[in-house]
Amino acid sequence: MWSVDPRTGKPREQVAVEAATEDVDRSVRAAHEVRGALADRTVRAAFLRAAADLLQGAGERIVETADAETALGPVRLNGELARTTAQLRAFAEVVDEGSFLDIRIDLPDAGAIPPRPDLRRWKIPLGVVAVYAASNFPLAFSVPGGDTASALAAGCPVVIKAHPDHPATSELCASLLRGAAAQVGLPEDVVVLVHGFDAGVALVRHPLVAAAGFTGSVRGGRALFDAAAARPVPIPFHGELGSLNPVVLTPAAVDERAEEIGAGLAGSMTMGAGQFCTKPGFVLAPSGEAGDRFVGALAEALSDTEPAVMLDHRMRDHFVSGTDEMTRIPGVTAPVTPAAGGPHTVRAGFLTVDAKTLLDGEHPSLVQEVFGPVTVVARYASRTEITEVLSQVPGNLTATLHIGERDQDQDAAPLLAELTPLAGRVLVNGWPTGVAVAAAQHHGGPYPATTSTGTSVGATAIERWLRPVTYQSTPDHLLPPELRDGNPLGLPRH
């Protein structure tokens, strides 16, 4: 496995070798053997905090390495590192607090119909979790990212399949996580790293892997999802595959602040070279003078952006060829043409099309995610066209509604209701790039945004790696301490 500089396309250094099937088997078995070491919640919380401290302490080296492999820049990567360490510490607090165990106790009642025995329910870790690192977030959604942090918080060891776009960063972060484990007295094999395409397939098929978390493309994610379901014993596969993130602009919104919305969209869709999973890739804007002002403001803002380096040359080439095909669709215009900016870069742009052109369903690429700095603006002539176009939009991580002060509740509420079934997070008068790590956050959505109803961001991400167990009529001394009479551990219980 070679580390490659996306700014030049040239190899930097050989970092590792691709894992063979027998290597994956050894890795999974090693993680499985030490799963019991994570049973102590106090040690788990200390481990997560130690990992955050070590990552923070090595911040300069991590950012330098990640920038050399991703071209995301020190400012972005320092912010991502801060998010990653905060996420680890947040899950330590979740572990300490204990409500994720969802303890529920029903005392016996012989007079109930039917009679009720003593029932005590909580959640236990599934076992070894396979984590597939993302290309676009080398820290927050990769080796030390949310899937890893939440799985470890649940008490599950992880075997991580590194992304080939940042193998050196992956190795560095994995060594720090393993060092944190040793620091608190845990076996280092609670975190194991493997490389290679074949390793990813072997990992999801391994009989000792109990669940998987994935962030990537529809094609790759669906193949792994199908493999997880086809196993003799199927396992949960929590995959984030792709998202268009539609935006609806009301006539009142663009009439009142067309220029502000145009500039805001330009900033959101070009953030991280348009490689955020929450990039707004499709916009429904009204026809007419106010809509024209919005399009003009967007064109002006995008015309001022510099060429950007994407994560690798394969993605860059796919962006250039894909957007070129889209511009050739009849009825599509490009006020600012998305294109190559040079041998290693791309230029941001956007396409416009009449909403009615989309209604025949002959050009599905216009309502599918394109990785990179481009968005499609569909101009609608009536409220009915909004509904008809939204009916063709697939599931998403986010959906956004921009309204104006003159919009009445009876106008805005139905639009919000139409967007809600399409996404896991619905925004009003904002932009979807930027996903806060918070207890109420949900980063998921209907397929193909994700393959499950879980979230990969926020406190409830831990729920993906747990399963409930009920003990019935069990003597108190045989129960786990968490379920015993008197609540000796002081945990939240229902």
Side-chain angles (χ1 to χ4, degrees), residues 40 57 65 122 254 287 306 328 447 450 474:
D40 188 318
T65 304
W122 71 326
V254 293
S287 56
E306 294 295 322
R328 299 175 188 276
Y447 185 86
T450 52
T474 304

Side-chain angles (χ1 to χ4, degrees), residues 145-156:
D147 284 349
T148 297
S150 58
L152 292 171
C156 298

Side-chain angles (χ1 to χ4, degrees), residues 5-383:
D5 184 348
R7 294 181 174 96
T8 64
K10 295 181 179 179
R12 297 176 58 247
E13 59 177 334
Q14 182 179 346
V15 174
V17 296
E18 295 195 15
T21 301
E22 55 268 28
D23 299 320
V24 174
D25 179 61
R26 282 194 295 270
S27 297
V28 174
R29 291 186 183 279
H32 180 75
E33 286 297 318
V34 301
R35 67 193 186 284
L38 289 169
D40 188 318
R41 289 188 303 110
T42 301
V43 175
R44 290 209 307 267
F47 171 32
L48 293 169
R49 292 189 174 99
D53 291 344
L54 289 181
L55 288 164
Q56 186 173 327
E60 185 174 345
R61 186 157 53 112
I62 291 171
V63 168
E64 180 181 357
T65 304
D67 180 50
E69 293 188 306
T70 66
L72 290 173
V75 174
R76 151 69 195 275
L77 289 167
N78 273 300
E80 187 179 335
L81 178 61
R83 171 202 177 93
T84 303
T85 56
Q87 189 166 241
L88 286 160
R89 294 186 177 107
F91 276 113
E93 293 179 7
V94 169
V95 173
D96 282 338
E97 191 266 342
S99 62
F100 73 97
L101 296 170
D102 195 22
I103 298 171
R104 297 170 181 269
I105 296 176
D106 278 311
L107 298 177
D109 184 356
I113 301 176
R116 185 177 69 221
D118 185 282
L119 300 170
R120 303 184 182 222
R121 180 185 190 270
W122 71 326
K123 291 182 177 179
I124 65 172
L126 290 173
V128 177
V129 170
V131 172
Y132 294 82
S135 63
N136 56 342
F137 282 85
L139 304 174
F141 283 84
S142 290
V143 171
D147 284 349
T148 297
S150 58
L152 292 171
C156 298
V158 295
V159 179
I160 308 161
K161 202 288 257 184
H163 196 279
D165 277 355
H166 43 79
T169 307
S170 299
E171 285 286 339
L172 174 56
C173 290
S175 69
L176 292 168
L177 293 181
R178 288 170 64 86
Q183 184 175 300
V184 301
L186 287 171
E188 291 187 350
D189 284 341
V190 295
V191 176
V192 185
L193 184 70
V194 297
H195 295 265
F197 176 83
D198 291 340
V201 177
L203 190 55
V204 80
R205 291 176 174 166
H206 197 286
L208 294 181
V209 168
F214 171 91
T215 302
S217 68
V218 173
R219 181 180 178 184
R222 183 56 193 256
L224 292 171
F225 176 61
D226 290 346
R231 292 167 38 131
V233 179
I235 59 171
F237 183 88
H238 301 282
E240 180 189 321
L241 310 189
S243 187
L244 187 62
N245 305 303
V247 178
V248 175
L249 312 177
T250 68
V254 293
D255 185 52
E256 294 170 15
R257 55 182 200 284
E259 290 75 18
E260 176 188 333
I261 293 173
L265 174 60
S268 184
M269 62 169 279
T270 58
M271 189 177 293
Q275 298 169 116
F276 277 30
C277 50
T278 51
K279 180 203 74 177
F282 182 77
V283 182
L284 277 161
S287 56
E289 184 272 335
D292 291 344
R293 286 194 291 115
F294 155 72
V295 169
L298 177 60
E300 182 178 357
L302 290 180
S303 297
D304 291 337
T305 59
E306 294 295 322
V309 177
M310 295 188 68
L311 293 165
D312 63 40
H313 280 61
R314 177 186 58 82
M315 294 180 188
R316 174 200 170 274
D317 295 345
H318 188 269
F319 173 84
V320 172
S321 61
T323 54
D324 181 64
E325 288 181 13
M326 293 169 71
T327 61
R328 299 175 188 276
I329 296 174
V332 170
T333 61
V336 178
T337 303
H344 309 295
T345 60
V346 296
R347 287 190 176 276
F350 73 106
L351 312 176
T352 62
V353 64
D354 286 340
K356 60 186 177 183
T357 303
L358 304 174
L359 300 181
D360 57 16
E362 293 184 2
H363 305 292
S365 63
L366 295 174
V367 286
Q368 293 175 352
E369 179 188 24
V370 177
F371 203 62
V374 65
T375 196
V376 173
V377 177
R379 306 291 298 274
Y380 65 86
S382 67
R383 174 68 175 78

